[in-house]
Amino acid sequence: MIQQKAHDIDYIYPGHVGCPGCGAILAMKFALKALGEKTMVVIPACCWGILAGPYPQTSLKVPILQAAFATGGAMASGVRAALDMNGDSETTVMTWAGDGGTFDIGFQALSGAVERNEDFIFVCYDNEAYMNTGIQRSSSTPYGARTTTTPGEGWKKTRKKNIIEALAAHRIPYAATASIAFPDDMIRKFQKAKDMKGGTRFMHVLATCPPGWGIPSEMSVRAARLAVQTNIFPLYEVEDGIKYTLNYEGSQPVDEYLKLQKRFKHLEKHDFEDIQTMVNDDWDLLRGKAGV
Ligand SMILES: Cc1ncc(C[n+]2csc(CCOP(=O)(O)OP(=O)(O)O)c2C)c(N)n1
Ligand code: SF4
Ligand SMILES: [Mg+2]
């Protein structure tokens, strides 16, 4: 008889209400493959609040706590404390928040939890805008992207907030980026985060969003892969805020990634060049921190 391996088990039921090609669904699938059934998921308001289903229906095979938009860090701290009081040190607590619930309104609760070094994993599945309410810009929306609330010429003129650096500045025990297009790397990092009990761990997963980004659903994983291959979304880990490890070195021009998506279709040649310069500068900084 063939033994079922832990990673063969899927903790998402078929029949969820996600858009075809939703990167956030794949992200949850890989995260739970690594964390396993002894996981409790805290979900602040976001697309995943809908994807998880209205109680008593659910698309997940693990317990879910729906939380107010700003409270991902605080709610997970409380769930951890309740489990500890019941003598359960085995269950992993994971906050699963969008970029709005992490970079913006959720940031103070996250920062507070990290400063207290609460024992849980905070995951940001980052689709780079407020998708659930109609593609409004967030501080994670990248330079050059058009949203339904980008003032000026209709596209964002400021850079995406660097959330990993903000968390590293807290001297968080573990912060890492991950991609749905690199599942082995992603599952390894979630397993590492799970095994590092005793402090806050932060995972930043780029989650492609076909309607929000203007890509065909079948291009979702390709877009995620190109984000890494162009160094727009580098794969790396930071331990204790200071020890940097790069997991992949991209070499593709940023145009390959940008031209795939309608949210960047207004950009001209000189805009692509500006973005390439920003990406190169960030990549050089990162290499310097990793000492390579
Ligand atoms: C205090 C508060 N303000 C606004 C909302 C409405 N709201 C629900 S989800 C959401 C956007 C969430 O964006 P993000 O965290 O990026 O997740 P996504 O929808 O993109 O998956 C907003 C504004 C809310 N639920 N609570
Ligand atoms: S709007 Fe985007 S993030 Fe939300 S379910 Fe659809 S594809 Fe996923
Ligand atoms: Mg979002």
Side-chain angles (χ1 to χ4, degrees):
M1 194 176 130
I2 299 170
Q3 278 273 309
Q4 202 174 27
K5 287 185 287 183
H7 294 171
D8 292 338
I9 301 171
D10 229 330
Y11 292 94
I12 301 186
Y13 290 109
H16 57 73
V17 296
C19 307
C22 175
I25 292 280
L26 272 181
M28 180 68 92
K29 181 182 165 105
F30 295 139
L32 287 179
K33 274 181 186 289
L35 300 184
E37 67 177 337
K38 288 256 174 204
T39 305
M40 293 186 79
V41 187
V42 174
I43 306 183
C46 58
C47 268
W48 248 104
I50 308 301
L51 305 182
Y55 182 82
Q57 294 169 333
T58 177
S59 62
L60 293 186
K61 300 179 187 172
V62 297
I64 303 155
L65 181 63
Q66 297 266 7
F69 199 8
T71 65
M75 291 287 262
S77 306
V79 172
R80 177 76 267 158
L83 287 168
D84 289 346
M85 282 177 71
N86 283 295
D88 179 349
S89 57
E90 202 187 339
T91 299
T92 303
V93 178
M94 171 173 75
T95 294
W96 188 265
D99 45 297
T102 306
F103 290 61
D104 293 345
I105 194 170
F107 191 72
Q108 63 83 17
L110 167 61
S111 175
V114 173
E115 190 273 333
R116 297 190 302 274
N117 205 22
E118 300 281 359
D119 180 7
F120 70 92
I121 303 173
F122 192 109
V123 183
C124 175
Y125 74 93
D126 181 6
N127 51 26
E128 302 189 315
Y130 290 25
M131 296 307 182
N132 185 50
T133 41
I135 323 177
Q136 293 87 14
R137 61 91 88 188
S138 75
S139 60
S140 170
T141 302
Y143 179 95
R146 175 165 281 159
T147 70
T148 55
T149 54
T150 345
E153 291 163 43
W155 53 276
K156 192 169 163 188
K157 298 282 180 7
T158 53
R159 277 164 171 257
K160 178 184 175 88
K161 186 189 285 181
N162 191 327
I163 195 72
I164 292 280
E165 292 306 312
L167 271 298
H170 288 64
R171 294 296 184 101
I172 190 168
Y174 185 62
T177 61
S179 169
I180 56 166
F182 294 78
D184 290 345
D185 176 81
M186 180 168 169
I187 289 173
R188 175 186 69 78
K189 287 169 176 167
F190 271 83
Q191 256 171 348
K192 184 169 172 177
K194 178 186 176 185
D195 294 343
M196 287 177 74
K197 282 178 178 292
T200 319
R201 292 84 85 197
F202 181 79
M203 300 294 302
H204 183 200
V205 186
L206 188 67
T208 45
C209 172
W213 293 16
I215 48 172
S217 52
E218 67 274 17
M219 285 290 146
S220 197
V221 173
R222 181 166 161 70
R225 188 177 302 117
L226 276 170
V228 174
Q229 290 174 330
T230 54
N231 292 329
I232 284 177
F233 189 83
L235 294 181
Y236 68 110
E237 299 162 271
V238 188
E239 279 157 81
D240 299 319
I242 48 173
K243 184 174 175 273
Y244 283 67
T245 308
L246 297 184
N247 311 119
Y248 186 92
E249 178 154 0
S251 55
Q252 305 265 56
V254 294
D255 312 28
E256 301 278 323
Y257 173 74
L258 303 171
K259 283 182 179 163
L260 207 61
Q261 307 170 47
K262 285 207 186 87
R263 65 179 174 153
F264 297 114
K265 79 170 191 311
H266 48 277
L267 297 182
E268 296 175 18
K269 189 168 177 290
H270 64 91
D271 299 313
F272 289 143
E273 286 164 5
D274 288 348
I275 293 172
Q276 186 69 66
T277 302
M278 290 179 206
V279 168
N280 291 350
D281 288 350
D282 284 352
W283 178 246
D284 287 345
L285 270 175
L286 201 51
R287 282 173 59 92
K289 285 179 180 171
V292 291

